[in-house]
Amino acid sequence: MLLDNNLRIKNIMPVQIVKVLYPQITVRSEAGEYLIVNISEQQLADPLFWATAKDIAHAKLWVPLGHTYHQLLADDWVLPQKDELALLK
């Protein structure tokens, strides 16, 4: 199910990655606000994460960012399936 049909969308905002310079990623919201992404220790140490972030920035794709913690979402714009949701409770 897409997040457009779920209340969880209120905690997510679409952003474009505008700058990737280790150890920081800068994004721009739809409103034009610039934010710094909070990056986990695992992401900091992952060269594939940084290469992917640069590719996304180059392609000018919109990605989901959590409002509260300013973290990129691993599950993209899709909610987990019903059986996965049962495990979250």
Side-chain angles (χ1 to χ4, degrees), residues 49-70:
F49 171 80
W50 292 98
T52 303
K54 286 180 183 178
D55 290 343
I56 291 170
H58 180 72
K60 299 184 186 309
L61 298 175
W62 290 88
V63 294
L65 185 79
H67 269 287
T68 306
Y69 300 108
H70 295 161

Side-chain angles (χ1 to χ4, degrees), residues 3-16:
L3 285 176
D4 289 344
N5 305 324
N6 190 283
L7 294 176
R8 189 171 145 198
I9 193 67
K10 293 182 189 321
N11 295 321
I12 299 170
M13 65 178 145
V15 296
Q16 279 186 320

Side-chain angles (χ1 to χ4, degrees), residues 27-84:
V27 296
R28 181 180 58 238
S29 71
E30 287 180 312
E33 180 182 8
Y34 288 87
L35 305 164
I36 303 300
V37 175
N38 288 326
I39 300 166
S40 71
E41 293 294 324
Q42 183 179 7
Q43 291 167 332
L44 280 172
D46 186 356
L48 184 58
F49 171 80
W50 292 98
T52 303
K54 286 180 183 178
D55 290 343
I56 291 170
H58 180 72
K60 299 184 186 309
L61 298 175
W62 290 88
V63 294
L65 185 79
H67 269 287
T68 306
Y69 300 108
H70 295 161
Q71 293 178 323
L72 295 171
L73 302 181
D75 56 0
D76 205 31
W77 298 104
V78 181
L79 276 175
Q81 297 298 319
K82 287 182 182 180
D83 55 335
E84 293 174 9

